[in-house]
């Protein structure tokens, strides 16, 4: 990775209703705060607060993170739960 590149993360939040929200970011701490307290958090999480960070993976670039996000979002809830529990 070049010095001017930022790491991109796939992150998974568990919402108050037990559902998952998956996204990508360069700053997980900022995004978690936005999802829990700000208007710039996702529309999905605004009505399901509070959310907690339950899983994340580090990727070298945005493209890889978004491809992983796409694959993760296609999994069933049970499959997502299994991946999260295996990586705790």
């Amino acid at each position: 990775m070049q010095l001017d590149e930022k790491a991109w993360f796939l992150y998974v939040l568990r919402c108050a209703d037990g559902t998952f929200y998956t996204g990508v970011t360069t700053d997980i701490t900022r995004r978690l705060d936005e999802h829990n307290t700000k208007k710039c958090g996702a529309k999905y999480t605004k009505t399901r607060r509070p959310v907690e960070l339950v899983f994340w993976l580090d990727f070298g670039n945005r493209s890889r993170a978004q491809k992983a996000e796409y694959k993760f979002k296609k999994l069933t809830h049970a499959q997502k739960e299994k991946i999260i529990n295996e990586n705790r």
Side-chain angles (χ1 to χ4, degrees):
M1 183 178 350
Q2 295 176 352
L3 292 176
D4 60 338
E5 290 183 38
K6 288 185 177 182
W8 280 84
F9 299 90
L10 161 80
Y11 66 96
V12 180
L13 306 175
R14 184 183 310 272
C15 300
D17 65 357
T19 60
F20 294 118
Y21 176 85
T22 306
V24 297
T25 186
T26 57
D27 187 338
I28 295 174
T29 304
R30 175 185 50 82
R31 278 306 279 156
L32 180 58
D33 179 59
E34 289 171 351
H35 283 293
N36 272 317
T37 64
K38 308 272 191 301
K39 288 185 177 183
C40 57
K43 186 176 183 180
Y44 184 84
T45 60
K46 284 181 189 174
T47 60
R48 293 168 172 85
R49 292 177 179 165
V51 299
E52 69 170 314
L53 179 66
V54 292
F55 181 75
W56 70 91
L57 288 173
D58 185 351
F59 290 88
N61 61 48
R62 184 177 186 172
S63 176
R64 288 185 193 141
Q66 287 179 315
K67 286 176 184 174
E69 175 190 24
Y70 177 77
K71 288 179 183 179
F72 194 88
K73 284 182 172 183
K74 295 185 97 175
L75 300 175
T76 66
H77 186 87
Q79 290 170 321
K80 293 173 186 177
E81 192 78 57
K82 183 178 178 187
I83 289 170
I84 292 164
N85 290 334
E86 287 174 350
N87 290 283
R88 283 196 167 191

